Amino acid sequence: MANEIISLEEVIKYAIMSEKECCVFYRNVSKLLEGGRLHGFFNRLAEEELNHLDLLMLLIEGGKVSEKVLHSHVVIDTDVFETLINESWNPYGLSEEQLLYLAGEREKIIIEAYERMMDIKPAPLEVIKTAEKIKNLEKEHLERITTTIHNLFSR
């Protein structure tokens, strides 16, 4: 664990970068599977990640959190964000099943990231509510991925 003291704005920016990385990953997988049965599935996940990104951007640019609060310092373990942002999540050469499992692992990590974001103190209620909302949306992704694995690959 790497607890860091950073501004609340930096925490939100970590989440933004994580959502961007997830979107890029899902777009790459979708392109790899062009014309295949999972192309649309991964394309929808990418679009949904963009919606999560919009929710986070509202916190910074939409005036939902004051400048003073954004610049306040909090303690958070940034390792989970770093894993999503800096690790190589290379989808090339993997089977459909392996791609789904890899997507599921990404979702588990981002769920953990939002759980950590919800635990930071002090954090305004708007940040906590946004983190919880996105965490629940990511849980829905994980459920859909798990169901798709089961439906397509369980014999």
Side-chain angles (χ1 to χ4, degrees):
M1 276 191 175
N3 280 338
E4 292 187 42
I5 300 173
I6 60 176
S7 73
L8 183 58
E9 182 176 29
E10 289 174 289
V11 172
I12 296 167
K13 286 181 177 179
Y14 262 116
I16 288 169
M17 288 187 293
S18 298
E19 292 295 340
K20 284 180 180 178
E21 287 299 319
C22 285
C23 182
V24 167
F25 173 78
Y26 289 138
R27 288 233 188 272
N28 287 340
V29 172
S30 179
K31 286 177 188 172
L32 276 174
L33 300 175
E34 188 101 34
R37 63 184 172 177
L38 293 175
H39 168 75
F41 178 81
F42 281 105
N43 200 45
R44 277 187 303 283
L45 288 175
E47 291 299 319
E48 291 170 12
E49 295 297 344
L50 287 177
N51 292 335
H52 305 170
L53 183 63
D54 290 342
L55 292 170
L56 292 164
M57 294 300 289
L58 281 174
L59 292 173
I60 294 176
E61 296 173 357
K64 289 194 170 202
V65 180
S66 73
E67 285 292 316
K68 181 181 178 187
V69 172
L70 282 173
H71 292 105
S72 65
H73 286 85
V74 298
V75 176
I76 187 169
D77 180 355
T78 58
D79 284 352
V80 288
F81 292 110
E82 293 286 344
T83 298
L84 286 166
I85 296 165
N86 295 327
E87 276 197 22
S88 173
W89 293 88
N90 186 350
Y92 302 98
L94 299 178
S95 69
E96 287 180 333
E97 186 175 12
Q98 290 169 322
L99 289 167
L100 285 165
Y101 276 108
L102 187 58
E105 289 305 308
R106 288 184 67 89
E107 292 296 335
K108 289 175 189 174
I109 293 168
I110 203 157
I111 289 166
E112 182 181 347
Y114 284 111
E115 286 171 350
R116 294 213 181 139
M117 195 170 164
M118 290 169 55
D119 286 340
I120 58 175
K121 305 282 188 274
L125 184 58
E126 194 61 42
V127 172
I128 302 301
K129 285 170 42 177
T130 299
E132 184 175 26
K133 180 176 184 169
I134 298 172
K135 178 188 87 167
N136 289 334
L137 292 168
E138 300 292 2
K139 282 184 171 183
E140 288 176 19
H141 285 183
L142 182 57
E143 287 175 23
R144 288 185 3 230
I145 290 166
T146 303
T147 299
T148 301
I149 290 169
H150 176 75
N151 289 343
L152 295 179
F153 301 103
S154 294
R155 294 169 192 14

